[in-house]
Amino acid sequence: MNIELKPEIVKSDKSVYTIYKYAKMESTNAFLKQHCSSLPDYSVIWADDQTDGRGRFTRIWNSQSGVDLTFSILLPLTSLEQKQRQNITQIAALSVAQTLEGYGLKPSVKWPNDVLVHGKKISGILCEVTETEERICGVLGIGINVNNTEKFLANLDIPATSLRCELHHKVVRQDLLKKLLEIIINCFSVLCHAGFTQNRQEIIKRLAFINEQIVFTDVKQDSYFGKIIDLNDDGTLLFECEKRGVISLNSGEIAFHNSYTMRKHL
Ligand code: BTN
């Protein structure tokens, strides 16, 4: 990791964050976890080139140097209740969706951590928790396809899109990042002071696949057919499972429509 290289530093005049922009590193989440004890809350690590980006379930996050946006922000979790820490991924997805709406797009939130446009993935989120001697930190990592071309996206293993593909013009990544950071910090503050309720309403308005037949895959890789009914007060998903009745899901993944060739249907 290139901690020895000096980052470009961008301080916000109206908010609490500081952006440290690096040319290249393996993973902004890994970097922030390693250095969180020496960094203040709301430090943002942005890598122009992320060479070993990771997603949920240790998947690879593919990116293109200088083309997309890969960053992580350090959130203070010490005074946040355990159950609300689980909502951070979803409020991050909501923040990304609201930011993209500012560009005229109509995104949806694919519970719990993806943002889609026209049913294709445009952003993925990975929130990890790490503890130092003094505090508990949330390392919230976000990848957004910004100026990627259709050719690059066609080689990914899921349907994906970018702002450029949707808007038919390039987007300045630093402007996008600054707008998004304002919204994330505001949504996080709402979560800390008022709980999940207000953000929940906003997520429901944008929830992908609600009342649609979907396949849900749990952490053990077992798959279930059923229908999403609602988002519960605590952020779990209310799911009408064909085989098990109405259940609440707290982790796992919803399949993309065209990846229904799933392993084991229960
Ligand atoms: C997913 O889709 O499963 C989550 C993808 C998260 C990718 C971002 S890119 C910035 C940050 N650094 C990482 O290594 N991962 C996250």
Side-chain angles (χ1 to χ4, degrees):
M1 288 191 190
N2 63 352
I3 184 76
E4 70 281 4
L5 293 179
K6 283 237 178 317
E8 182 190 324
I9 299 178
V10 181
K11 276 189 180 289
S12 165
D13 32 351
K14 50 180 182 172
S15 188
V16 288
Y17 66 79
T18 303
I19 301 171
Y20 301 86
K21 186 181 181 196
Y22 289 86
K24 189 175 188 159
M25 67 173 62
E26 289 171 4
S27 155
T28 57
N29 264 39
F31 183 97
L32 198 45
K33 279 193 284 178
Q34 194 182 347
H35 297 286
C36 61
S37 54
S38 57
L39 286 165
D41 295 336
Y42 305 105
S43 293
V44 176
I45 302 296
W46 173 15
D48 222 7
D49 188 4
Q50 187 179 242
T51 55
D52 191 22
R54 293 284 147 181
R56 291 173 80 223
F57 311 117
T58 64
R59 280 187 300 235
I60 291 169
W61 178 263
N62 286 298
S63 45
Q64 282 182 290
S65 176
V67 171
D68 42 34
L69 191 56
T70 49
F71 73 96
S72 304
I73 178 168
L74 188 57
L75 298 174
L77 299 191
T78 309
S79 55
L80 197 66
E81 280 180 42
Q82 175 69 35
K83 62 174 186 174
Q84 284 168 348
R85 289 182 199 160
Q86 290 164 5
N87 301 138
I88 291 173
T89 304
Q90 289 181 60
I91 64 151
L94 170 64
S95 305
V96 172
Q98 289 176 330
T99 306
L100 298 185
E101 284 163 9
Y103 286 82
L105 297 177
K106 287 209 172 2
S108 59
V109 172
K110 176 172 167 281
W111 184 94
N113 71 317
D114 288 343
V115 180
L116 312 179
V117 173
H118 292 129
K120 297 176 188 174
K121 184 160 171 168
I122 197 163
S123 173
I125 293 149
L126 177 67
C127 186
E128 302 178 276
V129 176
T130 185
E131 281 187 42
T132 68
E133 275 178 19
E134 289 91 38
R135 69 211 218 277
I136 304 171
C137 304
V139 172
L140 174 62
I142 301 185
I144 304 181
N145 300 328
V146 184
N147 291 318
N148 310 78
T149 56
E150 276 166 17
K151 195 175 167 203
F152 170 82
L153 299 165
N155 286 323
L156 303 179
D157 56 4
I158 51 164
T161 190
S162 67
L163 276 104
R164 180 180 173 180
C165 289
E166 297 297 326
L167 298 172
H168 310 290
H169 62 77
K170 287 193 178 182
V171 167
V172 178
R173 292 174 304 146
Q174 184 163 306
D175 294 348
L176 173 70
L177 176 59
K178 286 177 162 180
K179 286 175 190 160
L180 174 55
L181 290 172
E182 298 290 341
I183 296 179
I184 290 175
I185 290 166
N186 182 51
C187 282
F188 179 68
S189 163
V190 170
L191 179 70
C192 295
H193 296 109
F196 186 57
T197 318
Q198 194 175 317
N199 287 317
R200 171 183 169 262
Q201 293 300 338
E202 292 303 314
I203 295 167
I204 289 172
K205 285 183 204 164
R206 299 164 174 86
L207 200 59
F209 309 131
I210 193 146
N211 291 317
E212 287 179 31
Q213 286 297 130
I214 55 125
V215 176
F216 174 78
T217 304
D218 68 15
V219 285
K220 288 188 255 160
Q221 294 295 298
D222 289 329
S223 299
Y224 304 86
F225 277 111
K227 196 166 76 174
I228 297 171
I229 304 172
D230 203 356
L231 185 66
N232 291 318
D233 290 344
D234 60 359
T236 56
L237 200 64
L238 197 63
F239 182 66
E240 191 179 283
C241 180
E242 281 186 1
K243 291 277 163 67
R244 296 176 54 198
V246 176
I247 52 174
S248 290
L249 307 172
N250 60 13
S251 71
E253 188 160 59
I254 295 161
F256 277 90
H257 283 308
N258 58 357
S259 49
Y260 275 16
T261 49
M262 305 293 290
R263 298 143 280 257
K264 190 166 64 168
H265 297 297
L266 300 179

